Amino acid sequence: MPKLFKEKKSSGAVFRQRRAEKEKAGKRMSEALKEYLTSHKRRKQDATASEPVSNVASEPVQIDIDESSTSSFKQPISVQEAVNVDDANTGKIPEHDEQPSTSSHSVYLEKTIDPEESNDEEEEREELQQEEQSTSLAILDLSDPANWPAVLTTSLRDALVRRGPAKQKTNLIFPKDAANRRFTKANYKRRLPNGEETVRNWLVYSVKLNKVFCFCCKLFATKVTTSLTRGGYNDWKNLSQNLSIHEKSNSHIVAIRDWNELSRRFGCGKTIDAASQRLLANETQHWQDVVKRLIGIVKYLGRQSLAFRGSRDTLYSDNNGNYLQLVEMLATFDTVMQEHLKRIKNKDIFQHYLGKDIQNELISLIAKEITKHILQLLKNAKYYSIILDCTPDITLIEQMTIIVRFVSIKEGESPTAEPEICIDEKFLGFIQIQSSTGEGLTEAILSELEKLKIPVGDMRGQGYDNGSNMKGKHQENLLSLSGSTVQWNVLKKHIGRLTLKPLSDTRWSSRIDAIRPFRFQVGEIFDALSEISRENSHTAMAQSDAESLSKELNNLHFLCLIVLWYNILNRINFVSKLLQSRSMYLPDVIDILESTTNYLKNYRSDKGFEDLLEEAKDLSLEMEIDPVFPPFVRQTKKKKMFCYEAPDDPICDPAKFFKIECFYSILDVCINSLDERFGQIKHHSKHFQFLYNIQKLKDIPREAVMEYCIDLQNILTDDKSGDADLDGAHLCEELTILAPILRPTMTLSQILAYALKNGFAPNVSIALRILLTLPISVASGERSFLNLKLIKNYLRSSMSQERLVGLAMISIENQIAKEIDFKTLLHDFVTAKVRRVKFL
């Protein structure tokens, strides 16, 4: 809008009057600041001494979940901003390039802001930007001058002075320029006329820019006289001459004086704003202590797989969840949490850090720290295998678990001790599966490995589960009668030792648990069913079901099936328990599988069927029924369709029919399943078989050992690049030397530790590491599903995928979560989201 009237130029008297008013306003502000610093410290001490811990809060305190409320709070402003507020009242707007003559560190002034009455949005925005800039000091890498901003604020300059010039690493190699010259460590020293040398502690080298700077001149020089102060110096040919000229200049001497003076004042705590710095340090320590306790609460709930939130998000109210309940409990005994809740109640702060968003951030930070630790272990191990398994969660979303198996090598307690070999299987997370096809699963796996930066080329084994094909379609059993407490009491009255167990979709061992009561208490179960079917106190439906089930039990055919399945499942369950051990070796697995297969093959014989009939007849005598198979109904004769077909002679003997159609068929399926499911293990074991017992290689001809080693080299060679993990000829030489000196009882892990300690068999070490990395079973994947069921249940079905993966990571890898350092999490917390409260 154009001006309608020409402004009249103010006289000199008016300017002098305004300047006098400004000086008076600044003096009043300085006196008010000193009075505040003294009174605030006294009030804090009096409040701490007068308030007991038990009087934290007695009424519900509403928590703003989105943490965006700004109703009334104490906002940190700097001394310079305080002067600017007074200048604004006089109508003078300070220039942007004005710098305060003294240090202007932030202090906490009681400045209450009412959003309904305050209309000065520009001032609030400037204050927020200054707070974010001061908070971002923790994010900057101050060790390299290249990361310093062009305009250094007072707070950043003070932080650099406190830190001092960064020291370069001793093993740093300085790059050469186009003239084949480079910076050398000799430039850090200055030779005096008498031949002595002094250290140029003011000279700093920027790795990022390959330039040198003068530390003190860049911070304190008023004039830019050389590139050492401005953008850095990299004329290595003339560096020595220019350094000598620069360190003798007057501006450099003045900058060194100012630097040493400020460093000395910081050391003895005698800076102008030392009092405000102490208040700020106390406030920073308070917030660090608060966040430490909140992280501890998150770790505790996550490791125990407990729920965080309740039906309310209000302090000191019923059903407000475990998270807030633990906060309230800590406040009862802990002064730090007591002070935090008191500030929330009095509305002194609005960043309470108790809402769901902060919970998610802390969960994510802890989970990322665990993942980072696992990835570092995986990087050190190099070779790994993946174990994959899928299951639907409570919301019927298909979740795929990813487990990595690798060999960790930990150094011994002493230099002469052997390293400790650990076979680790670590959880990396759950992935939502959109397509269950082979192509869809492959894309999901490769995408996750790429996101985690895990090289696919180092993968040496894969383990998958086909257990979904073994799920039964019909799971009806006697537990259908347990819906009524009256019927359940009847079952408990007759069954004293073993109780009936249901089937489980994820736990294969539940089948043997379900059939064991029938094998040893079938008579008692039959009596309970008979009692329920006779008494009229039960419903007609229950009586009908009990009568039908009792008729099924009351024949030899059913008893033979009970005995048959118990003998099969009991032996396979024993093998399954052994295979779930992470330390199980592949040769032992092969022996166990062969033993189980031989047992089933021997059981599939006439003698095995006779033993089955004897056990079933003993059960029939216990139940007082005839030990004979029920007679056949009349069978229809099959019509011949072609002349070359043989005549169809039906089996008329019930015992023979059961033997062929049930006994042999069930055992054939079990034997074929074992051969099919573990055929890959047997196939891969052929290539590593000669490593199962290295001690016996001394009795094998050298030519045969060489053939085994060359074959293993070919298996471990990349088809595209042609790179091999080991050298077959060298492996043969190492095995020839190693075999005679090993003890006969040494395991593969002990042999690997021995080879690593002595360091003379690198190819043997690589071969054993790969062998121990191969997965034996997918038990770790199935165990992760137990945590999935605990975390995402029907009460927590709306949980996000990120929160689910984070809580699962804390719960499954709880030992790693226990050892996480709070300082690292605090730094990550600040880095992830710059906040108006200073943590570091």
Side-chain angles (χ1 to χ4, degrees), residues 654-683:
K656 186 177 181 181
F657 181 84
F658 178 84
K659 178 180 179 181
I660 296 175
E661 299 296 333
C662 291
F663 182 72
Y664 285 163
S665 297
I666 292 175
L667 287 174
D668 288 340
V669 171
C670 294
I671 295 172
N672 293 332
S673 297
L674 283 176
D675 292 337
E676 179 183 355
R677 293 171 67 86
F678 298 101
Q680 288 284 351
I681 294 181
K682 293 180 179 180
H683 173 72

Side-chain angles (χ1 to χ4, degrees), residues 52 96 135 180 192 249 279 303 347 410 418 474 620 677 714 771 774:
H96 292 289
T135 306
N180 202 26
L192 300 178
S249 64
L279 286 177
R303 293 181 64 204
K347 297 183 179 180
K410 300 179 182 178
E418 292 184 353
H474 306 285
S620 65
R677 293 171 67 86
N714 296 332
L771 175 59
L774 298 179

Side-chain angles (χ1 to χ4, degrees), residues 380-400:
N380 296 337
K382 182 177 175 59
Y383 303 112
Y384 70 94
S385 297
I386 59 171
I387 299 174
L388 306 174
D389 201 356
C390 296
T391 189
D393 59 18
I394 192 66
T395 58
L396 300 181
I397 296 177
E398 192 74 10
Q399 301 281 357
M400 181 174 69

Side-chain angles (χ1 to χ4, degrees), residues 8-27:
K8 184 179 180 181
K9 184 177 181 180
S10 301
S11 63
V14 174
F15 279 111
R16 287 192 295 273
Q17 182 180 1
R18 291 181 179 177
R19 184 171 59 187
E21 291 175 354
K22 179 181 177 181
E23 293 176 353
K24 291 181 181 179
K27 185 176 181 180

